[in-house]
Amino acid sequence: MDADAEARDLVDRTRTRFPEEALATDQWLRERGWAPEEMTFMWIEAFADRTSEAVKRRDQAAIAAHTEFMAKEHRQGSESVRSLVDVAYAENLMWDLDISDRVWAWPHIARTVRALYEAMWGVPEDANA
């Protein structure tokens, strides 16, 4: 299977596991003039925003579910799926959140995703702690 097909399969699995978040992700892409079915990389990036929204809501269950799902995909996926989870999901996770939100969320994020995030951005630390 080629990388594009593997990316589409990851999006399809994510859609199946998280239907409400998938609808919100599709809407976000359409609002920007993009066709969700053609934007697999951007779709995974936008799905990371759904996890970031869960952080803002302090929704531990959603954070754990999203990140554990992506961690499993990373562990079990091909090189192209691992790269997609790393670059499109983990590197974009929490990008627009306050440090206090990132620090709060850190223990609720699956270890595999934390390792990917940490490799890019480091461990979120509260400068006031």
Side-chain angles (χ1 to χ4, degrees):
M1 187 180 303
D2 70 7
D4 289 338
E6 290 173 347
R8 286 190 302 274
D9 284 350
L10 174 59
V11 169
D12 289 345
R13 288 189 299 276
T14 308
R15 285 178 180 287
T16 299
R17 175 64 178 84
F18 303 103
E20 290 180 29
E21 291 90 333
L23 290 173
T25 300
D26 289 347
Q27 179 181 350
W28 186 89
L29 288 166
R30 285 189 187 103
E31 287 171 355
R32 285 147 186 82
W34 296 320
E37 59 279 357
E38 297 173 7
M39 306 294 294
T40 54
F41 187 92
M42 286 296 295
W43 199 95
I44 297 296
E45 277 190 357
F47 181 75
D49 291 342
R50 305 296 74 79
T51 308
S52 296
E53 290 166 357
V55 171
K56 289 178 189 177
R57 293 189 314 270
R58 305 279 197 206
D59 186 340
Q60 294 177 23
I63 297 162
H66 292 188
T67 62
E68 288 168 9
F69 174 84
M70 287 296 177
K72 181 179 176 185
E73 290 291 331
H74 186 270
R75 285 190 306 272
Q76 296 179 352
S78 65
E79 181 59 36
S80 63
V81 167
R82 287 191 303 274
S83 178
L84 190 59
V85 170
D86 182 5
V87 177
Y89 183 78
E91 288 185 13
N92 289 287
L93 188 62
M94 304 189 297
W95 73 270
D96 64 341
L97 300 184
D98 292 335
I99 188 65
S100 61
D101 289 329
R102 287 182 265 156
V103 168
W104 175 87
W106 195 246
H108 309 295
I109 296 170
R111 290 179 193 258
T112 298
V113 174
R114 276 191 297 198
L116 297 170
Y117 181 97
E118 184 177 349
M120 182 66 184
W121 304 114
V123 175
E125 296 178 8
D126 188 350
N128 298 319

